[in-house]
Amino acid sequence: FRTLDDRYNLISIGDELTRLLEAGGLSVIHDRTPHDKNDYLDAYDNSRVAVQDWLKQYPSIKMVLDLHRDAAEYADGTQWATSATLNGEKSAQLMFVVGTNARGLNHPNWQTNLSFAEKLAVLMEKANPGMNRPVQVRYKRYNQDLGPTSLIVEVGTAGNTHAQAMNAMPALADAIYALAKGT
């Protein structure tokens, strides 16, 4: 369920989301750096530097999405998979994770991020019932304090196949596009 092969990891999922958003007329910067390549625990520190650099270089960035696969497993260690159907095909479900300012963390945008997550979830659920897992609000910031409308998007779980994760991207792209266009 973990690979450095960009044809099968989340970088390829980001490539597909980028392709779909750009086809809808949105400008996208896709950072293809595997921030967890050397040490899984350093991923947020590494991605924080990258997001800060992108925001400095392009201050007009309107949203930052951090794509993940949820690490959910059964007691016996078997990887759990989410399930939805999109356009007649089996798909991974999506879940938005919002960090907060709990425990004294500086995070002035967390309520804006929560509103953003809820709007995306409503748009996706309306168009594709069953696509969403509930929005999760957590006590960490996950680098979402760096700018408005920043979210973690859990693309299924480690138990979902690559094809199932790819199949979820049109629902996410359509919701982002609708929200960006105000429809």
Side-chain angles (χ1 to χ4, degrees), residues 9-182:
N9 62 22
L10 277 169
I11 290 173
S12 67
I13 305 302
D15 289 341
E16 178 64 4
L17 180 60
T18 297
R19 185 189 70 74
L20 292 166
L21 292 173
E22 288 178 342
L26 298 179
S27 296
V28 177
I29 297 169
H30 178 206
D31 186 335
R32 299 182 85 252
T33 307
H35 296 291
D36 62 348
K37 181 178 181 178
N38 296 323
D39 187 345
Y40 185 72
L41 298 176
D42 290 338
Y44 286 112
D45 292 338
N46 296 339
S47 64
R48 184 173 191 83
V49 172
V51 170
Q52 288 171 320
D53 289 345
W54 286 116
L55 289 170
K56 183 187 259 184
Q57 188 174 353
Y58 299 98
S60 63
I61 289 174
K62 303 245 187 289
M63 77 176 66
V64 176
L65 300 178
D66 187 0
L67 300 180
H68 289 242
R69 294 181 84 183
D70 200 359
E73 62 185 27
Y74 294 104
D76 68 359
T78 305
Q79 296 298 316
W80 176 65
T82 65
S83 182
T85 302
L86 184 64
N87 300 322
E89 303 229 3
K90 193 169 181 179
S91 170
Q93 287 180 306
L94 300 176
M95 179 175 72
F96 302 117
V97 178
V98 179
T100 67
N101 63 355
R103 300 186 181 175
L105 299 172
N106 179 32
H107 187 354
N109 301 315
W110 81 268
Q111 290 174 323
T112 302
N113 292 344
L114 178 58
S115 176
F116 174 56
E118 289 173 343
K119 288 174 186 173
L120 281 176
V122 166
L123 287 168
M124 279 197 332
E125 194 63 25
K126 189 174 181 182
N128 305 288
M131 253 335 274
N132 297 343
R133 292 170 60 200
V135 172
Q136 295 289 310
V137 178
R138 300 202 180 139
Y139 67 89
K140 295 182 179 182
R141 290 186 302 194
Y142 303 111
N143 298 329
Q144 296 172 6
D145 59 304
L146 297 176
T149 57
S150 298
L151 298 174
I152 289 176
V153 180
E154 297 280 3
V155 183
T157 68
N160 285 103
T161 67
H162 182 262
Q164 291 166 350
M166 290 290 270
N167 289 345
M169 290 302 92
L172 179 57
D174 288 348
I176 291 169
Y177 184 74
L179 196 57
K181 298 299 180 186

